[in-house]
């Protein structure tokens, strides 16, 4: 895959996040998330939907800025504008977030949807899968094209040794 660093940044940005859960705020965020993200999008659209409380972070390696929202539940949303009007958006449930997080496209649920379930739900898109190993951590990625977006679903083993959905990246270009 091209530019593996950009693809993996969605996971590793939030691994050390320690946010307390707040049910009422998370409920509001989930309602907003269920409306979906029109793609392609802009920082202004995402700010209107998820609030102005985001971090602007510079990646020295990619020579590019990205923007990160951290919700009260610890779930992280990342927006990365790329050159030539390309972009991607990722949502991740860091390791310390174990509760299911719904409101995703295709009825998927972070921390609950399994690799097998997602393969079955997305069979019409003919997803391909890749097994990766970074720093001794093994995970799977389901990749599929839907209309004009590339979709990447990331699965890690949970405490019950099941490969569950931990992150989703949607991009206007192949990563």
């Amino acid at each position: 895959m091209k530019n593996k660093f950009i693809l993996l940044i969605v996971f590793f940005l939030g691994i050390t996040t320690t946010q307390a859960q707040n049910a009422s705020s998370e409920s509001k965020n989930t309602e907003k998330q269920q409306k979906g993200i029109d793609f392609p999008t802009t920082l202004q659209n995402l700010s209107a939907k998820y609030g102005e409380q985001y971090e602007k972070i510079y990646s020295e390696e990619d020579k590019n800025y990205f923007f990160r929202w951290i919700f009260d539940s610890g779930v992280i949303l990342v927006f990365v504008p790329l050159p030539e009007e390309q972009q991607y958006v990722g949502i991740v449930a860091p390791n310390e977030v174990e509760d299911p997080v719904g409101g995703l496209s295709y009825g998927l649920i972070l921390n609950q949807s399994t690799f097998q379930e997602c393969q079955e739900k997305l069979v019409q898109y003919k997803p391909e899968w890749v097994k990766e190993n970074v720093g001794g951590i093994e995970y799977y990625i389901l990749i599929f094209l839907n209309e004009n977006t590339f979709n990447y679903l990331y699965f890690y083993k949970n405490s019950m040794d099941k490969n569950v959905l931990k992150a989703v990246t949607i991009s206007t270009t192949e990563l």
Side-chain angles (χ1 to χ4, degrees):
M1 278 187 238
K2 296 182 216 169
N3 210 343
K4 193 178 246 185
F5 177 77
I6 287 180
L7 186 61
L8 294 176
I9 200 168
V10 173
F11 279 111
F12 299 113
L13 284 175
I15 297 302
T16 59
T17 304
T18 54
Q19 297 284 323
Q21 288 224 352
N22 180 324
S24 64
S25 293
E26 184 58 27
S27 172
K28 291 175 189 171
N29 285 334
T30 301
E31 287 173 16
K32 290 179 183 178
Q33 290 169 4
Q34 287 176 344
K35 293 178 185 172
I37 297 171
D38 295 328
F39 225 76
T41 192
T42 64
L43 178 60
Q44 291 75 20
N45 289 345
L46 292 172
S47 296
K49 186 173 279 200
Y50 299 109
E52 298 286 333
Q53 297 76 31
Y54 59 83
E55 298 174 80
K56 181 179 180 180
I57 302 168
Y58 185 74
S59 167
E60 189 64 43
E61 185 166 334
D62 293 315
K63 308 287 186 233
N64 193 22
Y65 283 98
F66 60 93
F67 304 88
R68 176 175 73 177
W69 287 258
I70 301 174
F71 300 113
D72 290 338
S73 67
V75 170
I76 298 168
L77 178 75
V78 176
F79 171 63
V80 182
L82 300 172
E84 300 176 23
E85 298 187 20
Q86 301 295 315
Q87 58 188 247
Y88 76 82
V89 174
I91 187 165
V92 61
N95 290 339
E96 64 270 7
V97 176
E98 295 182 5
D99 292 333
V101 178
L104 302 176
S105 298
Y106 313 105
L108 304 179
I109 302 171
L110 292 176
N111 289 328
Q112 183 174 314
S113 296
T114 66
F115 183 77
Q116 175 88 23
E117 290 168 350
C118 290
Q119 279 184 308
E120 291 169 6
K121 279 185 178 184
L122 302 168
V123 70
Q124 71 200 47
Y125 302 106
K126 300 178 179 138
E128 298 177 16
W129 66 274
V130 177
K131 184 177 182 179
E132 294 282 344
N133 188 321
V134 175
I137 299 172
E138 209 171 77
Y139 60 95
Y140 294 89
I141 308 170
L142 270 182
I143 305 165
F144 65 96
L145 182 63
N146 181 13
E147 296 179 13
N148 62 345
T149 61
F150 293 86
N151 298 264
Y152 301 83
L153 310 180
Y154 300 86
F155 300 84
Y156 283 78
K157 289 197 186 237
N158 65 7
S159 59
M160 296 169 48
D161 210 32
K162 283 185 170 180
N163 282 310
V164 295
L165 184 63
K166 289 298 283 183
V168 175
T169 300
I170 303 170
S171 176
T172 56
T173 186
E174 189 173 9
L175 300 175

